[in-house]
Amino acid sequence: AQRVTQPEKLLSVFKGAPVELKCNYSYSGSPELFWYVQYSRQRLQLLLRHISRESIKGFTADLNKGETSFHLKKPFAQEEDSAMYYCALMGGSEKLVFGKGTKLTVNP
Amino acid sequence: EAQVTQNPRYLITVTGKKLTVTCSQNMNHEYMSWYRQDPGLGLRQIYYSMNVEVTDKGDVPEGYKVSRKEKRNFPLILESPSPNQTSLYFCASSLGGNYQPQHFGDGTRLSIL
């Protein structure tokens, strides 16, 4: 079974501080992992995916198969990063499973 | 403009009155999906479709039906809505395949009284 755990419902940091949003997964196969972001009153949108190994808006995420984690990191948080962040896993059946989300607040 | 369009955006209705939420995409995507978003539960997949006439259950399919007669449309049907189906619903589409990101609609807020 596929499962995604985001242990923090809420995360609050100050502007300029580093931020890490945790994501752990459970899946017996080789997972495809994504981070989606939902800004206030906007639709959900893709932030990044592990296969691309890219940095978007200063965010990066590394897949750690040993720890079954895909934590999202940014060295210097900005106020506009305040949003709801969802980690998601897609297994072999093309079924996408989301974590429950972490609400990030970046304080001035 | 490439987009996923849901209608209606908001609906208040009563228990037992059949309703349909439409979803249409203009990107020629093969994969389409419906989710519901509830506080503290995140997004949960209701149904998904990998192509025309191919649909499959997600994690919470009870009380819902879908159909995929055309590639661009994937309506969500609530035959006999109940208050526990009050939620925010999102439709999404993608090219298909494990690496493809999903494009989401703006959401439909349903209230079942």
Side-chain angles (χ1 to χ4, degrees):
Chain A
Q2 300 168 211
R3 192 165 66 243
V4 176
T5 303
Q6 293 179 249
E8 302 137 330
K9 277 189 180 178
L10 304 169
L11 184 62
S12 185
V13 300
F14 285 102
K15 178 182 172 181
V19 63
E20 181 180 53
L21 292 92
K22 291 186 168 48
C23 172
N24 290 91
Y25 67 90
S26 174
Y27 180 60
S28 56
S30 188
E32 304 307 326
L33 287 151
F34 306 84
W35 276 100
Y36 284 84
V37 60
Q38 188 177 29
Y39 300 103
S40 179
R41 296 192 181 85
Q42 293 187 27
R43 65 179 64 181
L44 217 71
Q45 53 188 288
L46 178 72
L47 182 61
L48 54 79
R49 46 185 162 166
H50 93 271
I51 194 71
S52 303
R53 302 186 66 82
E54 57 201 344
S55 173
I56 303 292
K57 298 184 180 182
F59 285 97
T60 59
D62 290 317
L63 176 61
N64 185 324
K65 290 189 177 180
E67 294 182 359
T68 59
S69 68
F70 188 56
H71 303 328
L72 183 68
K73 299 176 185 177
K74 185 169 182 176
F76 308 103
Q78 304 299 314
E79 287 180 68
E80 54 266 30
D81 295 329
S82 295
M84 196 77 184
Y85 290 81
Y86 291 97
C87 182
L89 179 154
M90 183 173 271
S93 63
E94 296 202 42
K95 182 176 154 183
L96 188 64
V97 173
F98 284 84
K100 292 183 179 179
T102 297
K103 184 176 181 179
L104 174 66
T105 302
V106 181
N107 300 299
Chain B
E1 181 191 348
Q3 58 186 0
V4 178
T5 304
Q6 297 177 226
N7 278 297
R9 292 291 313 281
Y10 304 91
L11 179 63
I12 301 174
T13 188
V14 295
T15 298
K17 186 177 181 181
K18 180 180 178 180
L19 67 91
T20 299
V21 185
T22 63
C23 174
S24 180
Q25 50 90 7
N26 62 0
M27 295 169 278
N28 201 36
H29 282 170
E30 292 193 349
Y31 183 99
M32 296 186 75
S33 183
W34 277 103
Y35 300 87
R36 58 179 289 173
Q37 185 180 34
D38 301 289
L41 296 177
L43 280 95
R44 293 177 292 168
Q45 193 172 47
I46 303 170
Y47 269 96
Y48 63 101
S49 168
M50 289 194 273
N51 214 326
V52 175
E53 302 291 5
V54 180
T55 63
D56 215 339
K57 295 178 180 179
D59 290 318
V60 288
E62 295 79 18
Y64 304 94
K65 283 175 59 176
V66 292
S67 69
R68 188 89 183 275
K69 293 185 170 55
E70 308 163 279
K71 201 171 190 179
R72 63 183 294 128
N73 295 322
F74 190 46
L76 179 70
I77 302 155
L78 285 72
E79 293 271 4
S80 183
S82 62
N84 64 11
Q85 293 177 297
T86 293
S87 187
L88 179 59
Y89 291 85
F90 287 98
C91 180
S93 73
S94 78
L95 284 168
N98 283 357
Y99 302 105
Q100 299 302 323
Q102 298 201 10
H103 300 260
F104 284 82
D106 285 328
T108 295
R109 190 167 288 284
L110 285 184
S111 294
I112 316 295
L113 304 177

